[in-house]
Amino acid sequence: MAKQPMLKFVTVERDMPEKRVPNLRNKDFHEIYAEYADTKAKEQASRCSQCGVPYCQSHCPLHNNIPDWLNMTATGRLEEAYQISQATNTFPEICGRICPQDRLCEGNCVIEQSGHGTVTIGAVEKYITDTAWENGWVKPIIPSMERDQSVGIIGAGPGGLAAADVLRRAGVQVTVYDRYDRAGGLMTYGIPGFKLEKDVVMRRIDQLQQSGVEFVLNCTVGEDLSFDAIRGKHDAVVIATGVYKTRDLEGPGSDADGIVRAIDYLTVSNKLNFGDEVPEYEDGSLNAAGKRVVVIGGGDTAMDCVRTAIRQGAESVKCLYRRDRANMPGSQREVQNAEEEGVVFEWLSAPKGFMGTPVDGVVVQKMRLGAPDASGRQSPEIIDGADYLEPAELVIKALGFEPEDLPKLWGVDGLEVTRWGTVRAEFTSGKTSLEGVYAVGDIVRGASLVVWAIKDGRDSAEAVLEYLNETRAVAAE
């Protein structure tokens, strides 16, 4: 087993807040920022109307008790606010940073609906938990009683880690297996550091390690260790692998050098944040510096790619999406951020082919929206004769992710999958067709949000605990 490298972190610069507090000369930056953040958090939290029907809470996948922890924040009871937030969310500081609040809690805030601007719920959530870490309120898990039963979790992303947290609190012995050299899944190697600082993820993983969760990294199930071996070692298994198979491009020249997968591009960028040496970055193959970059796709992964390319010093960055702005799946807030940073969006545009080896251009075909498809979305149609050539030295495929064929990769008989290739699992419990095997997150839902994976992990862990209690009761008879 390869040894996990020592973690290194690159300091992330933060902008100085516009509003200054008095006596700056006698305060360092962190004191200034803390006082400003505290003032703004209380100010925003106090705007909560404590409405009779908290739509913010009902539109949060975790049903976080948002009104109550906003009230606690407004009155300066931050430790209580953290405890309420932590009760329903394993990683509130992460959700506060990366959840698409404009589509969830904030977008359904009563004040926002009345036209007065939403309470900035995500920013307050982030502030509460960051304060909790700074003050030592976040501690390792100490179960009231240890159990001799164990659970193996395959995948160290948000779903697997959320399940590990719940199970460990119940005293279960937990081992997490992951193919990468660091835990965290897409939180570590998918989401850019400017959206989610890597030390924020690592400190949660460190907390779980201190709590007794064992991590087996650099472990590819089906190669380094069989699924049957994991299943034989533990009383139950949770599959939380996520989906990593990239949807591919078609058309002439689509296999040319310079056309890369989004996950590879983002992984390299994130490894740099840890201070790793990355040959693919140094040789320029996964480095946007000085290049004309074209990103193909309209989801959040595409937004991560375009904004990363800007930060790497690309000459230009363009995003092709086959539908219009109103129909794109990614966060509108992310699109606005990207535009402000210099990204150009080419709406109703799709790749038809690629020129050059290595690539030096994308043949773009213009589209229009036609009749709605079965889902109700208007289907894009090609406009004949409207093709043009878009120069590009780096093309990034961000067309979404699909599940890998786990039964084939792992050599598992009886693990049922859907026609989309996702693991067939019972709603809420995550129970699969195999005895004692559960599945959570994207490998069940398809590519989705971190917050949904957290919910699935927590819900499935509760179902696993019931299963462990039942098997123990049967064994005692």
Side-chain angles (χ1 to χ4, degrees):
M1 188 71 65
K3 185 179 180 181
Q4 187 180 10
M6 184 177 293
L7 300 179
K8 301 177 183 178
F9 300 106
V10 177
T11 302
V12 178
E13 294 183 2
R14 292 180 172 84
D15 295 333
M16 178 72 76
E18 294 179 4
K19 182 177 178 180
R20 304 298 207 274
V21 295
N23 302 321
L24 300 186
R25 190 170 298 174
N26 299 321
K27 298 177 183 293
D28 65 19
F29 172 81
H30 295 288
E31 288 178 300
I32 297 167
Y33 188 84
E35 291 183 24
Y36 172 80
D38 183 67
T39 300
K40 294 301 292 183
K42 290 177 180 177
E43 176 186 299
Q44 280 295 315
S46 67
R47 295 180 63 232
C48 178
S49 64
Q50 296 288 312
C51 52
V53 184
Y55 293 109
C56 59
Q57 183 174 358
S58 63
H59 283 80
C60 170
L62 290 163
H63 300 302
N64 287 325
N65 197 343
I66 296 169
D68 277 2
W69 54 253
L70 285 175
N71 180 54
M72 295 297 176
T73 303
T75 55
R77 297 157 66 183
L78 292 181
E79 186 170 3
E80 292 171 83
Y82 167 72
Q83 295 300 337
I84 294 171
S85 176
Q86 178 71 23
T88 52
N89 188 354
T90 313
F91 312 119
E93 73 279 19
I94 291 174
C95 289
R97 284 168 164 83
I98 64 173
C99 264
Q101 289 95 0
D102 55 326
R103 304 198 320 247
L104 300 173
C105 55
E106 292 181 13
N108 292 278
C109 171
V110 169
I111 296 175
E112 167 73 6
Q113 298 297 321
S114 65
H116 296 287
T118 184
V119 175
T120 57
I121 296 168
V124 176
E125 182 177 41
K126 168 184 175 295
Y127 170 71
I128 291 170
T129 319
D130 285 353
T131 302
W133 281 100
E134 291 167 7
N135 286 279
W137 303 336
V138 186
K139 301 183 184 300
I141 299 164
I142 303 176
S144 58
M145 179 185 68
E146 293 288 352
R147 302 168 63 138
D148 59 5
Q149 294 167 300
S150 71
V151 174
I153 299 175
I154 304 174
L161 295 180
D165 179 277
V166 172
L167 291 167
R168 192 69 198 102
R169 290 179 190 279
V172 175
Q173 311 309 308
V174 179
T175 302
V176 181
Y177 304 86
D178 197 85
R179 70 177 76 179
Y180 288 105
D181 59 346
R182 294 181 178 93
L186 289 178
M187 297 188 298
T188 296
Y189 284 137
I191 300 170
F194 58 82
K195 287 173 59 177
L196 178 57
E197 305 94 315
K198 299 309 155 187
D199 55 345
V200 171
V201 181
M202 291 300 114
R203 69 186 179 189
R204 273 295 180 186
I205 293 165
D206 184 58
Q207 181 212 19
L208 289 172
Q209 287 180 311
Q210 291 181 42
S211 303
V213 175
E214 179 185 3
F215 286 89
V216 180
L217 303 175
N218 294 301
C219 178
T220 300
V221 177
E223 295 179 13
D224 302 308
L225 190 63
S226 72
F227 178 76
D228 287 341
I230 294 174
R231 196 177 176 196
K233 182 179 179 181
H234 301 284
D235 298 288
V237 174
V238 176
I239 301 172
T241 57
V243 291
Y244 283 87
K245 182 181 175 182
T246 300
R247 291 176 185 156
D248 220 338
L249 289 169
E250 298 180 355
S254 58
D255 59 349
D257 290 342
I259 302 175
V260 304
R261 301 191 311 161
I263 187 62
D264 296 333
Y265 177 68
L266 293 172
T267 297
V268 162
S269 177
N270 280 308
K271 280 182 175 289
L272 292 171
N273 279 341
F274 286 102
D276 293 355
E277 292 183 8
V278 187
E280 300 92 336
Y281 181 83
E282 297 301 328
D283 66 20
S285 57
L286 291 172
N287 183 351
K291 297 177 182 177
R292 291 171 293 186
V293 178
V294 170
V295 176
I296 301 170
D300 288 336
T301 299
M303 300 305 100
D304 291 343
C305 289
V306 296
R307 298 184 67 196
T308 297
I310 288 288
R311 283 159 176 76
Q312 288 182 349
E315 179 181 325
S316 66
V317 181
K318 291 191 176 182
C319 182
L320 305 184
Y321 182 57
R322 62 180 183 155
R323 289 185 167 93
D324 60 8
R325 183 175 191 143
N327 283 280
M328 72 175 301
S331 167
Q332 291 295 326
R333 182 182 296 175
E334 284 287 297
V335 175
Q336 181 180 343
N337 289 339
E339 287 179 326
E340 290 172 352
E341 292 168 0
V343 176
V344 175
F345 286 84
E346 300 289 353
W347 308 111
L348 295 166
S349 302
K352 182 178 181 179
F354 304 88
M355 304 295 292
T357 304
V359 69
D360 59 20
V362 182
V363 180
V364 180
Q365 55 189 11
K366 295 300 293 181
M367 318 289 285
R368 60 171 167 252
L369 293 181
D373 59 18
S375 68
R377 296 178 76 193
Q378 287 180 280
S379 300
E381 299 174 347
I382 297 171
I383 300 175
D384 293 331
D387 301 351
Y388 69 94
L389 183 65
E390 182 67 56
E393 291 82 37
L394 179 62
V395 177
I396 302 174
K397 301 180 290 185
L399 302 168
F401 300 100
E402 296 177 341
E404 297 164 297
D405 187 348
L406 295 188
K408 181 178 179 180
L409 287 174
W410 294 353
V412 180
D413 293 327
L415 180 63
E416 295 181 5
V417 297
T418 68
R419 62 189 179 95
W420 299 281
T422 53
V423 174
R424 189 182 300 278
E426 191 175 87
F427 183 66
T428 69
S429 74
K431 184 178 180 180
T432 73
S433 54
L434 296 177
E435 175 73 16
V437 177
Y438 297 75
V440 303
D442 289 1
I443 195 59
V444 176
R445 292 180 176 273
S448 187
L449 302 174
V450 166
V451 66
W452 280 112
I454 295 171
K455 175 177 172 52
D456 290 348
R458 292 174 65 93
D459 288 349
S460 185
E462 295 293 345
V464 170
L465 288 172
E466 290 183 16
Y467 171 76
L468 295 177
N469 290 335
E470 289 170 4
T471 56
R472 169 156 289 172
V474 170
E477 291 178 355

